[in-house]
Amino acid sequence: MHMAQQSVGKFRRQRLLIALVVAAMVLLLTLTFRFVQARSNIEQRSQDFANSAIDRFDRMLSPLDVSASNTLGLVGVPCQNVRFPLIEKIAALQTVRAVLLVDQDTIYCSSIYGERNLSFSLAFPELALNGQRMLLTTDAWLLKGSPVLLLWNPKSLDNRSGIVQIVNIELISNYLLVPELPWVERAILNVGNESLEYGNPLIEGTVPAEDEVKFEQASLRYPYTITLYGPAPWRLALATLPEQLPLALLLSLLFGYIVWMATANRMSLSWQINYGIGADEFRVYCQPLIDGGNGECAGIELLLRWHNPRHGWVAPDVFIPLAERHNLIAPLTRFVISKVVEQLPQLPQRSDFHIALNVAASHFRDCEIVHDLETLWWPAEPVPRLVLELTERDALPVVDQQVVAMLHKVGVQLAIDDFGTGHSSLSYLKDLQPDILKIDKIFTAAIGTDAINATVTDMVISLAQRLNISLVAEGVETAEQAEYLRLRAVDVLQGYFFARPMPIEDFSFWLRQFEMQRSQVNMNSASATQGTLA
């Protein structure tokens, strides 16, 4: 039972390990998912900010395009005739600081100063010569040094006549480019090679700081771009993980608990025993029983072995106690009966050959063992005699006396296994009326080494012989032990000295080899005897 408890503890540790691994994976996956989601949200927020800024700039510039198109007809008209209409347009647009009329490469009229006579090519070569339509520069006339945005709307294909609108871009950019912390720390308007940053009245180039990344978006309608600088999205996403940790821990604990509960059956040894029966994972072995008088094979004891594909070979000392505790011993016994019935044709067809089967005392309740024998054993019309061995790990008094009587009536013999090691009581011999007592291997091993246990062995032998009960000695491993037991007229010997447990399918081959060896030994003995007599 101690080994069974150790095995149960091992399975529980495996369940715990699996639950912890799943919980850790859920924690990691949840935090990873939240990290990726946060990073994506931050990137999306930056893009939304840039799109929104571009949309607002475009909407601000669109009326200026319309106004310029409506004003192109004034180009070429004397300045004194168009100055007041230009002032009215400026008042209506609000964002425009001044309007310049250009004719034949000459700025000849200003809405602020009236008549002018300046070379357009010399004043604004980017617009006149380079074909640009927008120019970010500084005001040279009204508010000197302040940033302005020039919008050029040409009237002629030669780019020598048209309208220049001077937009007060500093106020507009400070309104439209307000950064959204923490994902946008700096917002910049770029026109050509010039840049205007929010909060900075100077037009100058910009570069990201050491810990900033750059995001840029271009307008599809006008020749400008919006550049954003801010922390790397992964850094901001990483900073949000502590906020996600409680939820991630809760989910990981929940999934770990679900896995712990879900594996309560599948990871339990009792569930795997039940599964193993249906999956044919168990193997029926047998160990020969040797007649102590003539040395012939008098029968076999059926043993059950379990090869679990998930855990390898599982010792009987582990799964048998657990099967008894979880009421699975009866299904295992039925499995053994059905398998040995399949092998009956290969076994000796002699009535003095007996087949010993271990049966738990709990299997005797409600005549369950009798019903199983009637269903599985007797229909096969077996010739060998059946012996049911009751192990003393069960409380033997629970065995139904009526069932014992029924078994004796149909010729089934009853044996008490491991006699003297468990709940032994001399009253059992009276109540159960066993046909066979099996001397436990601990007493056999004491022969020649342990005087006290050897004395107990002698007492058990004497008691059985006085009560006319047959004896089977288990665990015979040496010739000395075998000879000791033979001299005391022990009926049947069993142990590694004669044969190790083997698959029941191999028994017929072993028996042929065993009988051939005995015949050879007998022939040699007979020859030696004749030689001595001669």
Short mmCIF file of all heavy atoms in Angstrom, two decimals, residues 82-128:
data_model
loop_
_atom_site.label_atom_id
_atom_site.label_comp_id
_atom_site.label_asym_id
_atom_site.label_seq_id
_atom_site.Cartn_x
_atom_site.Cartn_y
_atom_site.Cartn_z
N VAL A 82 -8.59 96.44 -56.84
CA VAL A 82 -8.85 95.12 -56.24
C VAL A 82 -8.43 95.02 -54.78
O VAL A 82 -8.69 93.99 -54.13
CB VAL A 82 -8.11 94.02 -57.04
CG1 VAL A 82 -8.59 93.98 -58.49
CG2 VAL A 82 -6.60 94.25 -56.99
N ARG A 83 -7.83 96.06 -54.24
CA ARG A 83 -7.30 95.93 -52.89
C ARG A 83 -8.41 95.68 -51.86
O ARG A 83 -8.29 94.81 -50.98
CB ARG A 83 -6.51 97.18 -52.52
CG ARG A 83 -5.86 97.06 -51.15
CD ARG A 83 -5.10 98.30 -50.79
NE ARG A 83 -4.56 98.20 -49.44
CZ ARG A 83 -4.03 99.20 -48.77
NH1 ARG A 83 -3.94 100.41 -49.33
NH2 ARG A 83 -3.56 99.01 -47.56
N PHE A 84 -9.49 96.47 -51.99
CA PHE A 84 -10.57 96.31 -51.00
C PHE A 84 -11.28 94.96 -51.12
O PHE A 84 -11.60 94.33 -50.10
CB PHE A 84 -11.54 97.49 -51.10
CG PHE A 84 -10.96 98.78 -50.60
CD1 PHE A 84 -10.59 99.79 -51.47
CD2 PHE A 84 -10.76 98.97 -49.23
CE1 PHE A 84 -10.04 100.97 -51.00
CE2 PHE A 84 -10.22 100.16 -48.77
CZ PHE A 84 -9.84 101.15 -49.65
N PRO A 85 -11.55 94.45 -52.32
CA PRO A 85 -12.07 93.07 -52.40
C PRO A 85 -11.14 92.04 -51.76
O PRO A 85 -11.60 91.07 -51.16
CB PRO A 85 -12.22 92.85 -53.91
CG PRO A 85 -12.42 94.20 -54.48
CD PRO A 85 -11.58 95.11 -53.64
N LEU A 86 -9.83 92.27 -51.91
CA LEU A 86 -8.88 91.33 -51.27
C LEU A 86 -8.98 91.39 -49.75
O LEU A 86 -8.94 90.36 -49.07
CB LEU A 86 -7.45 91.65 -51.70
CG LEU A 86 -7.09 91.41 -53.18
CD1 LEU A 86 -5.65 91.80 -53.44
CD2 LEU A 86 -7.34 89.95 -53.55
N ILE A 87 -9.14 92.58 -49.21
CA ILE A 87 -9.27 92.74 -47.76
C ILE A 87 -10.53 92.04 -47.25
O ILE A 87 -10.55 91.40 -46.18
CB ILE A 87 -9.25 94.23 -47.38
CG1 ILE A 87 -7.87 94.83 -47.69
CG2 ILE A 87 -9.60 94.42 -45.91
CD1 ILE A 87 -7.79 96.33 -47.49
N GLU A 88 -11.61 92.16 -48.04
CA GLU A 88 -12.86 91.51 -47.65
C GLU A 88 -12.68 89.97 -47.60
O GLU A 88 -13.20 89.31 -46.70
CB GLU A 88 -13.96 91.88 -48.64
CG GLU A 88 -14.41 93.33 -48.52
CD GLU A 88 -15.47 93.67 -49.56
OE1 GLU A 88 -15.75 92.78 -50.42
OE2 GLU A 88 -16.01 94.78 -49.49
N LYS A 89 -11.96 89.43 -48.59
CA LYS A 89 -11.74 87.98 -48.59
C LYS A 89 -10.91 87.54 -47.39
O LYS A 89 -11.17 86.51 -46.78
CB LYS A 89 -11.06 87.57 -49.89
CG LYS A 89 -11.97 87.59 -51.10
CD LYS A 89 -11.28 87.07 -52.33
CE LYS A 89 -12.26 87.05 -53.52
NZ LYS A 89 -13.35 86.06 -53.30
N ILE A 90 -9.88 88.35 -47.04
CA ILE A 90 -9.05 88.02 -45.88
C ILE A 90 -9.90 88.01 -44.61
O ILE A 90 -9.77 87.13 -43.76
CB ILE A 90 -7.89 89.02 -45.75
CG1 ILE A 90 -6.91 88.82 -46.91
CG2 ILE A 90 -7.18 88.85 -44.41
CD1 ILE A 90 -5.82 89.86 -46.95
N ALA A 91 -10.77 89.00 -44.51
CA ALA A 91 -11.63 89.07 -43.33
C ALA A 91 -12.55 87.86 -43.25
O ALA A 91 -12.85 87.35 -42.16
CB ALA A 91 -12.44 90.36 -43.37
N ALA A 92 -13.00 87.39 -44.40
CA ALA A 92 -13.90 86.25 -44.42
C ALA A 92 -13.17 84.94 -44.10
O ALA A 92 -13.72 84.05 -43.45
CB ALA A 92 -14.59 86.16 -45.78
N LEU A 93 -11.92 84.84 -44.55
CA LEU A 93 -11.19 83.58 -44.37
C LEU A 93 -10.56 83.47 -42.99
O LEU A 93 -10.36 82.37 -42.50
CB LEU A 93 -10.11 83.45 -45.44
CG LEU A 93 -10.63 83.29 -46.88
CD1 LEU A 93 -9.48 83.35 -47.86
CD2 LEU A 93 -11.37 81.97 -47.01
N GLN A 94 -10.21 84.57 -42.37
CA GLN A 94 -9.66 84.63 -41.02
C GLN A 94 -8.26 84.04 -40.89
O GLN A 94 -7.41 84.57 -40.17
CB GLN A 94 -10.59 83.94 -40.01
CG GLN A 94 -11.95 84.61 -39.91
CD GLN A 94 -12.84 83.93 -38.90
OE1 GLN A 94 -12.54 82.85 -38.42
NE2 GLN A 94 -13.97 84.55 -38.59
N THR A 95 -7.99 82.92 -41.53
CA THR A 95 -6.69 82.27 -41.38
C THR A 95 -5.62 82.90 -42.28
O THR A 95 -4.43 82.64 -42.09
CB THR A 95 -6.78 80.77 -41.72
OG1 THR A 95 -7.30 80.63 -43.04
CG2 THR A 95 -7.68 80.04 -40.74
N VAL A 96 -6.04 83.70 -43.25
CA VAL A 96 -5.09 84.29 -44.20
C VAL A 96 -4.63 85.64 -43.67
O VAL A 96 -5.43 86.48 -43.29
CB VAL A 96 -5.75 84.45 -45.59
CG1 VAL A 96 -4.77 85.12 -46.55
CG2 VAL A 96 -6.16 83.08 -46.13
N ARG A 97 -3.29 85.80 -43.63
CA ARG A 97 -2.72 87.06 -43.16
C ARG A 97 -2.69 88.09 -44.27
O ARG A 97 -2.93 89.28 -44.03
CB ARG A 97 -1.31 86.81 -42.64
CG ARG A 97 -0.61 88.04 -42.10
CD ARG A 97 0.77 87.73 -41.55
NE ARG A 97 0.71 86.83 -40.41
CZ ARG A 97 1.78 86.44 -39.72
NH1 ARG A 97 2.99 86.86 -40.10
NH2 ARG A 97 1.66 85.63 -38.70
N ALA A 98 -2.36 87.69 -45.50
CA ALA A 98 -2.29 88.64 -46.62
C ALA A 98 -2.44 87.88 -47.93
O ALA A 98 -2.24 86.66 -47.98
CB ALA A 98 -0.97 89.40 -46.61
N VAL A 99 -2.80 88.64 -49.00
CA VAL A 99 -2.92 88.07 -50.34
C VAL A 99 -2.06 88.93 -51.26
O VAL A 99 -2.12 90.16 -51.23
CB VAL A 99 -4.37 88.05 -50.83
CG1 VAL A 99 -4.43 87.57 -52.28
CG2 VAL A 99 -5.23 87.17 -49.94
N LEU A 100 -1.26 88.26 -52.11
CA LEU A 100 -0.41 88.95 -53.09
C LEU A 100 -0.86 88.57 -54.48
O LEU A 100 -1.12 87.39 -54.77
CB LEU A 100 1.05 88.54 -52.90
CG LEU A 100 1.67 88.75 -51.51
CD1 LEU A 100 3.11 88.23 -51.49
CD2 LEU A 100 1.61 90.19 -51.09
N LEU A 101 -0.97 89.56 -55.36
CA LEU A 101 -1.29 89.33 -56.76
C LEU A 101 0.00 89.39 -57.57
O LEU A 101 0.80 90.31 -57.42
CB LEU A 101 -2.28 90.36 -57.27
CG LEU A 101 -3.65 90.41 -56.57
CD1 LEU A 101 -4.56 91.43 -57.23
CD2 LEU A 101 -4.31 89.04 -56.55
N VAL A 102 0.21 88.39 -58.43
CA VAL A 102 1.42 88.29 -59.24
C VAL A 102 1.01 88.32 -60.72
O VAL A 102 0.14 87.55 -61.15
CB VAL A 102 2.19 86.99 -58.94
CG1 VAL A 102 3.44 86.90 -59.81
CG2 VAL A 102 2.53 86.91 -57.45
N ASP A 103 1.67 89.23 -61.48
CA ASP A 103 1.41 89.32 -62.92
C ASP A 103 2.73 89.51 -63.65
O ASP A 103 3.51 90.40 -63.30
CB ASP A 103 0.46 90.49 -63.21
CG ASP A 103 0.00 90.49 -64.67
OD1 ASP A 103 -0.04 89.37 -65.28
OD2 ASP A 103 -0.29 91.57 -65.17
N GLN A 104 2.98 88.61 -64.58
CA GLN A 104 4.22 88.68 -65.37
C GLN A 104 5.45 88.68 -64.45
O GLN A 104 6.34 89.50 -64.60
CB GLN A 104 4.20 89.91 -66.27
CG GLN A 104 3.08 89.95 -67.29
CD GLN A 104 3.13 88.75 -68.25
OE1 GLN A 104 4.22 88.38 -68.71
NE2 GLN A 104 1.97 88.15 -68.51
N ASP A 105 5.42 87.76 -63.48
CA ASP A 105 6.55 87.55 -62.57
C ASP A 105 6.79 88.76 -61.67
O ASP A 105 7.88 88.94 -61.14
CB ASP A 105 7.82 87.20 -63.34
CG ASP A 105 8.88 86.57 -62.44
OD1 ASP A 105 8.49 85.77 -61.53
OD2 ASP A 105 10.07 86.85 -62.60
N THR A 106 5.75 89.58 -61.51
CA THR A 106 5.90 90.75 -60.65
C THR A 106 4.80 90.75 -59.61
O THR A 106 3.61 90.61 -59.93
CB THR A 106 5.82 92.05 -61.47
OG1 THR A 106 6.88 92.05 -62.44
CG2 THR A 106 5.97 93.26 -60.56
N ILE A 107 5.21 90.91 -58.36
CA ILE A 107 4.22 91.10 -57.29
C ILE A 107 3.83 92.56 -57.33
O ILE A 107 4.59 93.44 -56.92
CB ILE A 107 4.82 90.72 -55.92
CG1 ILE A 107 5.31 89.27 -55.92
CG2 ILE A 107 3.80 90.93 -54.82
CD1 ILE A 107 6.04 88.87 -54.65
N TYR A 108 2.63 92.80 -57.86
CA TYR A 108 2.27 94.21 -58.07
C TYR A 108 1.22 94.70 -57.09
O TYR A 108 0.94 95.91 -57.03
CB TYR A 108 1.76 94.39 -59.50
CG TYR A 108 0.35 93.87 -59.77
CD1 TYR A 108 -0.75 94.74 -59.66
CD2 TYR A 108 0.12 92.56 -60.11
CE1 TYR A 108 -2.02 94.28 -59.92
CE2 TYR A 108 -1.14 92.10 -60.38
CZ TYR A 108 -2.24 92.96 -60.28
OH TYR A 108 -3.51 92.49 -60.52
N CYS A 109 0.63 93.77 -56.27
CA CYS A 109 -0.41 94.26 -55.35
C CYS A 109 -0.42 93.41 -54.10
O CYS A 109 -0.32 92.18 -54.15
CB CYS A 109 -1.78 94.20 -56.03
SG CYS A 109 -3.11 94.93 -55.01
N SER A 110 -0.51 94.06 -52.91
CA SER A 110 -0.60 93.40 -51.61
C SER A 110 -1.84 93.88 -50.90
O SER A 110 -2.16 95.09 -50.92
CB SER A 110 0.62 93.69 -50.76
OG SER A 110 0.43 93.31 -49.43
N SER A 111 -2.57 92.94 -50.28
CA SER A 111 -3.78 93.34 -49.56
C SER A 111 -3.45 94.22 -48.37
O SER A 111 -4.30 94.95 -47.88
CB SER A 111 -4.53 92.08 -49.08
OG SER A 111 -3.71 91.32 -48.20
N ILE A 112 -2.20 94.20 -47.90
CA ILE A 112 -1.81 95.01 -46.74
C ILE A 112 -1.16 96.32 -47.16
O ILE A 112 -1.53 97.39 -46.69
CB ILE A 112 -0.86 94.20 -45.83
CG1 ILE A 112 -1.57 92.96 -45.27
CG2 ILE A 112 -0.34 95.07 -44.69
CD1 ILE A 112 -0.69 92.09 -44.41
N TYR A 113 -0.19 96.24 -48.09
CA TYR A 113 0.60 97.42 -48.45
C TYR A 113 0.13 98.08 -49.74
O TYR A 113 0.67 99.13 -50.13
CB TYR A 113 2.07 97.04 -48.57
CG TYR A 113 2.67 96.56 -47.27
CD1 TYR A 113 2.96 95.21 -47.08
CD2 TYR A 113 2.93 97.45 -46.23
CE1 TYR A 113 3.49 94.76 -45.89
CE2 TYR A 113 3.47 97.01 -45.05
CZ TYR A 113 3.76 95.67 -44.87
OH TYR A 113 4.29 95.23 -43.70
N GLY A 114 -0.81 97.49 -50.41
CA GLY A 114 -1.27 98.11 -51.66
C GLY A 114 -0.32 97.78 -52.81
O GLY A 114 0.15 96.64 -52.93
N GLU A 115 -0.05 98.81 -53.63
CA GLU A 115 0.77 98.57 -54.82
C GLU A 115 2.20 98.21 -54.42
O GLU A 115 2.80 98.80 -53.53
CB GLU A 115 0.78 99.80 -55.71
CG GLU A 115 -0.57 100.11 -56.33
CD GLU A 115 -0.51 101.27 -57.32
OE1 GLU A 115 0.63 101.74 -57.59
OE2 GLU A 115 -1.57 101.67 -57.80
N ARG A 116 2.73 97.19 -55.13
CA ARG A 116 4.10 96.74 -54.91
C ARG A 116 4.75 96.54 -56.26
O ARG A 116 4.08 96.40 -57.31
CB ARG A 116 4.13 95.41 -54.14
CG ARG A 116 3.35 95.43 -52.83
CD ARG A 116 4.02 96.28 -51.77
NE ARG A 116 5.19 95.60 -51.22
CZ ARG A 116 6.03 96.14 -50.37
NH1 ARG A 116 5.85 97.39 -49.97
NH2 ARG A 116 7.06 95.47 -49.91
N ASN A 117 6.06 96.42 -56.24
CA ASN A 117 6.78 96.17 -57.49
C ASN A 117 8.02 95.31 -57.15
O ASN A 117 9.13 95.79 -57.08
CB ASN A 117 7.19 97.47 -58.17
CG ASN A 117 7.81 97.22 -59.55
OD1 ASN A 117 7.64 96.14 -60.13
ND2 ASN A 117 8.55 98.19 -60.05
N LEU A 118 7.75 94.01 -56.92
CA LEU A 118 8.80 93.10 -56.51
C LEU A 118 8.88 91.93 -57.49
O LEU A 118 7.86 91.48 -58.04
CB LEU A 118 8.52 92.54 -55.11
CG LEU A 118 8.45 93.56 -53.95
CD1 LEU A 118 7.99 92.87 -52.67
CD2 LEU A 118 9.81 94.23 -53.75
N SER A 119 10.07 91.43 -57.68
CA SER A 119 10.25 90.27 -58.57
C SER A 119 9.79 89.02 -57.84
O SER A 119 10.29 88.68 -56.75
CB SER A 119 11.71 90.14 -58.98
OG SER A 119 11.91 88.90 -59.66
N PHE A 120 8.83 88.32 -58.42
CA PHE A 120 8.31 87.09 -57.82
C PHE A 120 9.39 86.00 -57.80
O PHE A 120 9.54 85.27 -56.82
CB PHE A 120 7.08 86.64 -58.62
CG PHE A 120 6.42 85.40 -58.10
CD1 PHE A 120 6.02 85.30 -56.77
CD2 PHE A 120 6.22 84.30 -58.93
CE1 PHE A 120 5.42 84.14 -56.31
CE2 PHE A 120 5.62 83.15 -58.46
CZ PHE A 120 5.21 83.07 -57.14
N SER A 121 10.16 85.93 -58.86
CA SER A 121 11.20 84.91 -58.95
C SER A 121 12.28 85.12 -57.91
O SER A 121 12.83 84.16 -57.36
CB SER A 121 11.83 84.90 -60.35
OG SER A 121 10.85 84.62 -61.32
N LEU A 122 12.61 86.41 -57.65
CA LEU A 122 13.65 86.68 -56.66
C LEU A 122 13.12 86.51 -55.24
O LEU A 122 13.83 86.05 -54.35
CB LEU A 122 14.19 88.09 -56.85
CG LEU A 122 14.98 88.34 -58.14
CD1 LEU A 122 15.40 89.80 -58.22
CD2 LEU A 122 16.21 87.43 -58.20
N ALA A 123 11.88 86.87 -55.01
CA ALA A 123 11.31 86.80 -53.67
C ALA A 123 11.01 85.36 -53.27
O ALA A 123 11.31 84.94 -52.14
CB ALA A 123 10.05 87.65 -53.58
N PHE A 124 10.40 84.62 -54.16
CA PHE A 124 10.01 83.24 -53.85
C PHE A 124 10.40 82.31 -54.99
O PHE A 124 9.55 81.85 -55.76
CB PHE A 124 8.49 83.16 -53.59
CG PHE A 124 7.99 84.14 -52.57
CD1 PHE A 124 7.19 85.21 -52.95
CD2 PHE A 124 8.35 84.00 -51.24
CE1 PHE A 124 6.73 86.11 -52.01
CE2 PHE A 124 7.88 84.91 -50.30
CZ PHE A 124 7.08 85.97 -50.67
N PRO A 125 11.69 82.03 -55.13
CA PRO A 125 12.13 81.18 -56.24
C PRO A 125 11.54 79.75 -56.15
O PRO A 125 11.37 79.11 -57.16
CB PRO A 125 13.64 81.18 -56.11
CG PRO A 125 13.93 81.55 -54.69
CD PRO A 125 12.83 82.48 -54.29
N GLU A 126 11.29 79.27 -54.93
CA GLU A 126 10.73 77.92 -54.80
C GLU A 126 9.38 77.80 -55.50
O GLU A 126 9.06 76.78 -56.12
CB GLU A 126 10.56 77.54 -53.32
CG GLU A 126 11.87 77.46 -52.54
CD GLU A 126 12.27 78.81 -51.97
OE1 GLU A 126 11.64 79.83 -52.35
OE2 GLU A 126 13.23 78.86 -51.17
N LEU A 127 8.56 78.90 -55.40
CA LEU A 127 7.24 78.86 -56.02
C LEU A 127 7.33 79.19 -57.51
O LEU A 127 6.66 78.56 -58.34
CB LEU A 127 6.31 79.87 -55.33
CG LEU A 127 6.11 79.67 -53.81
CD1 LEU A 127 5.18 80.77 -53.26
CD2 LEU A 127 5.53 78.30 -53.51
N ALA A 128 8.16 80.18 -57.84
CA ALA A 128 8.21 80.66 -59.23
C ALA A 128 9.00 79.72 -60.13
O ALA A 128 8.63 79.50 -61.29
CB ALA A 128 8.81 82.06 -59.26
#
